[in-house]
Amino acid sequence: MSKLQEKVAALPAEPCCPALTERELTVEEAELTAAMFKALGDPVRLRLFSKVASHPDNEACVCDIADVGVSQPTVSHHLKKLKEAGLLASERRGTWVYYRVEPSVLAAMGHLLTPTPASARVA
């Protein structure tokens, strides 16, 4: 497990970082946030993440999401990058791997990008 994965795994269920308009990010918050957005900066990774996040069962078999216009080894590479950034978790079941979005990821990303009312900002 990488240091980034360890940091992401240790995060509480609440969002890791404040809204960008609330206060400046710490170095660690910026590193975690940048890793998530860097992983999503690739169109194939963004599509894979979207397929998992929007899947009806809240998890998706790799066999259901691999049709993104690249080879299977490339899909595996991109899914690995999403896992390393703490965006996805996986579980092997027989010959297939199932992916799900980490519980706090969407909330954290949404919170980060939601403007904070001026009255609630920390000075």
Side-chain angles (χ1 to χ4, degrees):
M1 184 179 281
S2 73
K3 284 187 177 188
L4 179 62
Q5 286 174 305
E6 290 172 4
K7 286 180 181 179
V8 170
L11 290 175
E14 304 89 46
C16 73
C17 307
L20 292 175
T21 58
E22 185 178 320
R23 65 167 172 79
E24 293 181 17
L25 297 176
T26 65
V27 171
E28 185 173 79
E29 290 168 341
E31 287 173 355
L32 289 170
T33 303
M36 288 191 300
F37 283 111
K38 182 178 179 182
L40 292 174
D42 181 281
V44 172
R45 288 187 201 138
L46 186 56
R47 286 191 63 211
L48 288 167
F49 183 77
S50 173
K51 284 176 169 270
V52 174
S54 65
H55 201 272
D57 299 326
N58 296 320
E59 67 176 6
C61 173
V62 70
C63 59
D64 294 329
I65 61 171
D67 59 338
V68 291
V70 296
S71 67
Q72 179 56 48
T74 303
V75 167
S76 294
H77 166 77
H78 287 302
L79 288 169
K80 178 183 174 188
K81 292 294 184 183
L82 290 168
K83 281 183 60 178
E84 288 173 350
L87 296 170
L88 294 179
S90 66
E91 179 183 341
R92 179 170 291 282
R93 297 181 196 156
T95 58
W96 296 109
V97 177
Y98 287 77
Y99 291 89
R100 66 187 173 284
V101 175
E102 288 292 348
S104 63
V105 168
L106 293 176
M109 293 172 77
H111 178 75
L112 182 75
L113 297 173
T114 301
T116 305
S119 61
R121 292 185 190 155
V122 176

